[in-house]
Amino acid sequence: MEQLARSPRQLGDFIQRCRKAKGLNQSELADLAGTRQEMVSKIESGAPGSRIATIYALLAALDLEMTLTPRSRSSSGDIEDIF
């Protein structure tokens, strides 16, 4: 499953969808990733200030990996999502 994520909110939504597709609640995902449920909640809600190491731990627990590619042309609305 591929997903374009240009903002913390979009990444959080994707993580949440993958977690639910695997039948996990936030606490179960947190245990698999070695973090706390509150951190999973913050990341899924797109809250700023999440450590990249924690995001990678969540992705690994969901059997996902991050691939970076050059940004395609976007609208000004996409850029606003970042800030």
Side-chain angles (χ1 to χ4, degrees):
M1 167 188 334
E2 255 183 67
Q3 173 67 41
L4 178 65
R6 290 186 169 168
S7 70
R9 180 72 226 162
Q10 289 174 337
L11 181 60
D13 286 343
F14 181 65
I15 289 172
Q16 182 180 60
R17 283 194 310 276
C18 291
R19 173 181 59 77
K20 288 180 177 182
K22 288 191 173 279
L24 298 171
N25 63 39
Q26 288 181 343
S27 294
E28 292 166 330
L29 177 56
D31 287 344
L32 290 171
T35 191
R36 297 171 316 170
Q37 177 274 325
E38 294 83 5
M39 187 56 62
V40 174
S41 178
K42 287 174 94 173
I43 290 170
E44 287 185 352
S45 69
S50 299
R51 292 184 48 213
I52 192 73
T54 304
I55 292 170
Y56 276 118
L58 293 179
L59 294 174
L62 293 168
D63 295 321
L64 299 169
E65 60 186 17
M66 187 181 302
T67 302
L68 302 176
T69 60
R71 187 185 266 274
S72 61
R73 295 192 113 193
S74 61
S75 69
S76 60
D78 290 336
I79 294 170
E80 290 173 3
D81 284 344
I82 296 170
F83 303 101

